[in-house]
Amino acid sequence: MSYADLAAAARGNIGPFCKACPVCDGRACAGVMPGPGDKGVGRVAHRNWEAWQGLHVSMDTLHEPFSADTRASVLGRELSLPVMIGPVGDVQRHYGEKYDTVSYNRCVLEAAAGEGTLAWTGDGLDASIMTEACDLIGELGGRGVPTVKPWDEKTMDAKLDQALAARPAAVAMDIDAAGLPFLRGQVPPAGAKSATQVSAVVARCHEASVPFVLKGVMTPSAAVRAAEAGVDAIVVSNHGGRVLDGTPATAEVLPEIAGAVRGSVTVLVDGGVRSGLDVFRALALGADACLVCRPFVVAAFGGGADGVRAFLAQLRSELADAMEMCGAAGVREVTRDMIWSR
């Protein structure tokens, strides 16, 4: 099953907000929230996708023949490809009734583990979203990454207790979720966090020997401050345009951010990554791995766990093809000079 097949199968099972487009480029759902769209005039999700398409690759097949090795070491784990499934909080609110959050998380967590990678789980105002996600990750021997919203201190402590008890591959905080319109003025409250507050969360995770990832970094200075706070990894992410209109695409800011913290933290990126070629582009710009979210929701609605596994296999195959056609035998051999520029 290709992604186009899965999207076709999802239509009628997903929605009404998501249209399960053959290419998930953010145009059909522009400005749609709740739903998979983005905030304000609805341009950022499409800009994310478009920026990857604007990066041309330097084909070079004058090399010894090889089969590309797509394996990557990320967060202390060896993954079969440098792609992880991104987190979704309230699945029914945004995508429809076919899956509740528990059944969706089980679908992607088990499929990702079966394909040799990791899925991340989301969080939300409903406390059961985090509780049940952590229970599932614990059942899978920690093969997953729970993502915590930037709650107030009391709520954060309770959520971290749940997350760390699952002995996960890592714990993440999507700090940019402070800008989600449906979290403003709610109970529990969510908001921006200082470097000191982030450092305290890092310390709790490190006490439990669990890596900590800060998701939602869009400037080199924020990346440096995150590194100084002790985080193990950052995700270059604008939350798919869902937290602030008018931001640049993640591909546009990735090279400078990666350069600012190279060697000190793992750099991940999301936003509009839709193919193995896009993953190749991200590696060339300095990322260690990618998160992909919305297409995996469509794959799950279109084909269940088999659909999720099929899309992961498609991404791995596309990445291997790009590597072989550009002369990179392994993911660490993908370099900036493999992106064509004038």
Side-chain angles (χ1 to χ4, degrees):
M1 291 181 288
S2 69
Y3 179 76
D5 296 330
L6 292 165
R11 286 171 217 135
N13 295 321
I14 199 169
F17 306 122
C18 178
K19 309 304 181 185
C21 300
V23 177
C24 182
D25 62 6
R27 289 188 294 181
C29 59
V32 177
M33 294 180 71
D38 39 8
K39 200 172 182 179
V41 298
R43 298 286 188 272
V44 175
H46 180 65
R47 186 179 302 127
N48 281 341
W49 174 84
E50 193 172 38
W52 298 116
Q53 309 319 304
L55 294 169
H56 305 296
V57 295
S58 299
M59 186 176 72
D60 181 359
T61 55
L62 188 63
H63 55 72
E64 293 294 327
F66 58 80
S67 294
D69 184 355
T70 63
R71 291 175 300 171
S73 180
V74 182
L75 299 172
R77 304 264 177 144
E78 184 173 280
L79 308 183
S80 63
L81 74 166
V83 174
M84 294 174 281
I85 300 175
V88 182
D90 192 337
V91 176
Q92 287 186 332
R93 176 185 177 94
H94 299 295
Y95 289 96
E97 298 297 319
K98 180 175 180 177
Y99 288 100
D100 60 19
T101 303
V102 176
S103 59
Y104 174 78
N105 281 339
R106 183 177 294 279
C107 174
V108 296
L109 283 164
E110 292 180 349
E115 289 297 312
T117 188
L118 299 168
W120 295 33
T121 59
D123 192 6
L125 290 168
D126 182 350
S128 68
I129 293 174
M130 174 61 69
T131 301
E132 291 162 345
C134 293
D135 288 345
L136 287 171
I137 291 170
E139 288 175 22
L140 288 169
R143 287 178 293 179
V145 179
T147 307
V148 185
K149 299 289 185 213
W151 306 111
D152 65 290
E153 185 176 353
K154 180 180 178 181
T155 306
M156 178 67 69
D157 284 343
K159 301 259 188 178
L160 283 175
D161 286 342
Q162 294 173 341
L164 294 172
R167 305 299 302 168
V171 169
M173 181 200 298
D174 51 346
I175 194 167
D176 55 345
L180 285 170
F182 37 80
L183 287 185
R184 290 291 180 88
Q186 300 293 323
V187 178
K193 291 284 176 279
S194 69
T196 300
Q197 290 171 311
V198 170
S199 183
V201 175
V202 171
R204 282 209 56 194
C205 292
H206 287 179
E207 285 171 7
S209 300
V210 174
F212 178 78
V213 186
L214 192 67
K215 180 175 178 288
V217 174
M218 284 293 289
T219 66
S221 63
V224 169
R225 279 178 274 132
E228 291 171 347
V231 309
D232 299 284
I234 59 171
V235 185
V236 178
S237 174
N238 54 29
H239 218 103
R242 296 169 64 76
V243 297
L244 180 63
D245 196 6
T247 63
T250 52
E252 293 174 319
V253 299
L254 172 60
E256 192 174 357
I257 291 173
V261 293
R262 183 170 288 115
S264 58
V265 298
T266 296
V267 177
L268 311 174
V269 66
D270 70 7
V273 176
R274 298 295 181 257
S275 68
L277 180 56
D278 292 343
V279 176
F280 179 89
R281 290 162 165 148
L283 297 176
L285 294 188
D288 295 294
C290 299
L291 291 182
V292 180
C293 184
R294 292 166 183 165
F296 280 108
V297 182
V298 173
F301 274 78
D306 288 342
V308 174
R309 294 187 70 160
F311 185 47
L312 279 167
Q314 177 180 326
L315 293 175
R316 185 167 54 246
S317 176
E318 291 169 345
L319 173 60
D321 182 56
M323 292 168 63
E324 290 164 13
M325 293 297 292
C326 294
V331 295
R332 290 189 176 275
E333 295 181 29
V334 180
T335 57
R336 181 64 184 269
D337 62 4
M338 293 178 180
I339 295 294
W340 178 85
S341 60
R342 292 186 185 277

